[in-house]
């Protein structure tokens, strides 16, 4: 009897473990030397890779909950939804005319990935309407109508194909958190702190560590903690005061994994974008309050990187091409102070404060203002440039945040400003915003200094 008892126990453990696994088998006709990289966004920039042998690859994920992994090869990035029990087949096909790869997915879990792709495209259309620039009431109505339409599409799809209840529950939560994130962002962009505006949060489960693998949930808790911190600050609060408010709010989160994730995410952003002066203080705070080794490794890397681009260091070289393919290098700008503006048409704060950029440029004609767009769509950049009469020193980085220049200047958030002196040395890695009185005081002092020289 004991043998039978142990046998049943062994089989239970075996099949329980197997059900937590997602298998991915695939084939790839690589163009030459490329590596398939995978990352989950929970751990920031940390990546893993899949080796391809004789055109084949295999990967097993041990995850008890549904999860999104990102597969990246060359300039192609693809989100893959995995769930316990999936057995996916991925065929990677290279398109030489576009210099990119196409993912063909089949097997158990393929129709779920197709539906998620379809919904993501519909949500993406809402994002591209610059919804955050609309009046708050209009933005909320537009968000609600868009997600009502997507939910109807989901129910129609369910009647045509039978999806598992677990998958439908996951998708329902995806849409719920996605909709709430849009509304949170509307509140943040418009400085709304009134609890009545945020009524939709009352029926939501805010903290659930089993959803950390869901990108939409991570975006939601990020925007939610920003709202909580904003209630402790005002428009005159410094970056340090705002970060301190964030850290105080994060400390109150009951789930350790969520608490450590948000602590990692916020410290990484503020250190990486050079938003605080006392970097060591916040680095030490992180090390004391976060035990996750992956998070610690990346924050340490970010902290060491912030020691570069400090005032007085040589600004990284770059070559930019304008719409007429005319080049610009940092050497060509020497002899004048340079104010780099990293922006994009999809960045609400960038577009909203664009008049400030132009006002500053017309006020300080001796300063070279260089506009650098990180748009993914070149035509959007060109159309915006024509509409706003941007012809001089206006450039586009086709690879956006992944471009060598964005990485060299450690651009992770937009808008971002860098001030360089006439000899090519960094004055401010994270320069004052064009709308502030501080930037005018600084540029006035630089102008006086240059006149004396």
């Amino acid at each position: 009897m004991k043998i039978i008892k142990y046998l049943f126990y062994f089989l239970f453990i075996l099949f329980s473990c197997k059900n937590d696994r997602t298998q991915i088998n695939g084939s790839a006709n690589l163009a030459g030397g490329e590596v398939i990289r995978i990352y989950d966004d929970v751990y920031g920039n940390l990546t893993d890779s899949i080796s391809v042998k004789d055109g084949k690859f295999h990967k097993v994920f041990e995850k008890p909950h549904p999860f999104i992994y990102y597969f990246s090869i060359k300039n192609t990035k693809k989100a893959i939804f995995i769930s316990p029990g999936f057995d996916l087949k991925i065929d990677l096909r290279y398109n030489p005319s576009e210099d990119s790869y196409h993912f063909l997915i089949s097997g158990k879990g393929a129709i779920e990935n197709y539906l998620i792709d379809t919904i993501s495209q519909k949500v993406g259309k809402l994002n591209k309407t610059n919804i955050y620039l609309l009046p708050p009431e209009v933005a909320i109505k537009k968000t609600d109508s868009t997600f009502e339409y997507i939910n109807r599409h989901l129910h129609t799809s369910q009647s045509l194909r039978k999806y598992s209840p677990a998958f439908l529950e996951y998708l329902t939560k995806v849409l719920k958190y996605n909709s709430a994130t849009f509304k949170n962002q509307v509140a943040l962009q418009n400085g709304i702190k009134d609890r009545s505006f945020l009524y939709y949060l009352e029926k939501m489960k805010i903290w659930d560590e089993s959803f950390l693998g869901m990108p939409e949930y991570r975006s939601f808790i990020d925007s939610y903690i920003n709202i909580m911190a904003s209630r402790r600050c005002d428009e005159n609060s410094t970056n340090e005061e705002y970060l301190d408010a964030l850290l105080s709010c994060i400390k109150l989160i009951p789930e350790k994994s969520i608490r450590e994730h948000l602590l990692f995410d916020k410290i990484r952003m503020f250190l990486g974008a050079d938003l605080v002066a006392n970097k060591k203080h916040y680095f030490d705070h992180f090390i004391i309050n976060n035990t996750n080794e992956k998070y610690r490794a990346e924050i340490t890397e970010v902290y060491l990187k912030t020691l570069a681009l400090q005032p007085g260091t040589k600004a990284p070289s770059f070559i930019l091409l304008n719409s007429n393919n005319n080049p610009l290098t940092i050497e060509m700008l020497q002899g004048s102070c340079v104010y780099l503006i990293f922006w994009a048409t999809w960045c609400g704060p960038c577009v909203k404060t664009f008049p400030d950029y132009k006002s500053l440029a017309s006020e300080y004609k001796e300063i070279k203002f260089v506009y650098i767009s990180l748009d993914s769509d070149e035509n959007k950049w060109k159309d915006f440039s024509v509409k706003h009469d941007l012809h001089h020193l206006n450039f586009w980085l086709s690879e956006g945040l992944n471009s060598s220049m964005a990485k060299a200047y450690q651009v992770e958030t937009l808008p971002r400003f860098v001030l360089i002196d006439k000899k090519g040395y960094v004055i401010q890695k994270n320069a004052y915003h064009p709308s502030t009185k501080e930037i005018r005081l600084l540029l006035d002092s630089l102008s006086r200094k240059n006149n004396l020289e």
Side-chain angles (χ1 to χ4, degrees), residues 297-341:
E298 184 165 345
I299 288 296
T300 300
E301 181 182 337
V302 170
Y303 173 65
L304 293 175
K305 190 188 291 184
T306 63
L307 302 181
L309 281 182
Q310 292 305 300
T313 59
K314 193 74 175 174
S317 297
F318 57 77
I319 299 178
L320 294 166
L321 295 175
N322 64 14
S323 56
N324 296 319
N325 284 324
N326 294 321
L328 178 75
T329 67
I330 194 166
E331 289 77 18
M332 293 168 65
L333 293 168
Q334 287 192 9
S336 300
C337 288
V338 179
Y339 189 85
L340 301 179
I341 301 172

Side-chain angles (χ1 to χ4, degrees), residues 3 43 74 105 110 112-113 137 139 145 161-162 167 183 194 217 242 247 255-256 279-280 307 365 372 385 443:
I3 294 175
Y43 295 114
K74 207 174 176 67
I105 303 175
E112 286 84 356
N113 270 279
E137 297 76 13
S145 63
R161 296 177 182 265
K162 294 298 179 184
F167 173 68
K183 294 173 182 178
D194 186 356
Y217 177 70
Y242 183 60
L247 298 182
E255 281 83 356
K256 180 182 178 182
K279 299 175 182 61
K280 189 175 187 306
L307 302 181
K365 293 185 171 22
I372 304 166
S385 298
L443 295 184

Side-chain angles (χ1 to χ4, degrees), residues 113-132:
N113 270 279
Y114 174 76
L115 182 56
I116 284 179
D117 280 349
T118 303
I119 288 174
S120 295
Q121 290 170 12
K122 294 181 185 299
V123 172
K125 289 180 181 178
L126 176 66
N127 205 8
K128 291 176 181 176
T129 60
N130 285 333
I131 191 168
Y132 306 133

Side-chain angles (χ1 to χ4, degrees), residues 119 123 143-144 147-148 150-151 154 168-184 199-206 211 214 216-217 219-220 223:
I119 288 174
V123 172
T143 299
D144 284 337
F147 280 93
E148 285 170 8
I150 293 173
N151 273 298
L154 177 59
L168 289 175
E169 182 184 3
Y170 175 87
L171 258 191
T172 300
K173 287 184 170 63
V174 163
L175 294 174
K176 189 175 182 179
Y177 284 120
N178 216 333
S179 173
T181 300
F182 272 93
K183 294 173 182 178
N184 285 351
Y199 65 91
Y200 52 90
L201 294 173
E202 295 175 3
K203 297 181 180 180
M204 298 192 69
K205 185 173 183 179
I206 306 297
F211 295 149
M214 182 193 294
E216 293 80 7
Y217 177 70
S219 296
F220 167 74
S223 60

Side-chain angles (χ1 to χ4, degrees), residues 324-431:
N324 296 319
N325 284 324
N326 294 321
L328 178 75
T329 67
I330 194 166
E331 289 77 18
M332 293 168 65
L333 293 168
Q334 287 192 9
S336 300
C337 288
V338 179
Y339 189 85
L340 301 179
I341 301 172
F342 293 92
W343 68 286
T345 60
W346 49 259
C347 166
C350 300
V351 175
K352 205 168 187 178
T353 57
F354 216 86
D356 295 322
Y357 309 161
K358 298 189 73 174
S359 172
L360 198 67
S362 63
E363 206 172 323
Y364 296 90
K365 293 185 171 22
E366 70 278 14
I367 308 290
K368 299 292 185 184
F369 290 83
V370 182
Y371 299 87
I372 304 166
S373 166
L374 280 76
D375 275 287
S376 56
D377 188 332
E378 184 180 9
N379 289 326
K380 283 187 177 294
W381 163 64
K382 287 183 175 179
D383 292 344
F384 188 94
S385 298
V386 171
K387 182 179 178 180
H388 293 270
D389 195 28
L390 286 178
H391 299 297
H392 188 56
L393 299 182
N394 179 29
F395 304 89
W396 174 63
L397 292 178
S398 61
E399 296 180 16
L401 290 170
N402 293 318
S403 66
S404 58
M405 183 176 183
K407 289 179 178 178
Y409 281 85
Q410 301 175 20
V411 179
E412 293 189 358
T413 58
L414 297 178
R416 173 73 186 285
F417 314 102
V418 181
L419 188 59
I420 301 169
D421 72 16
K422 65 179 187 178
K423 294 181 180 178
Y425 290 90
V426 175
I427 296 174
Q428 280 189 323
K429 170 186 173 181
N430 195 62

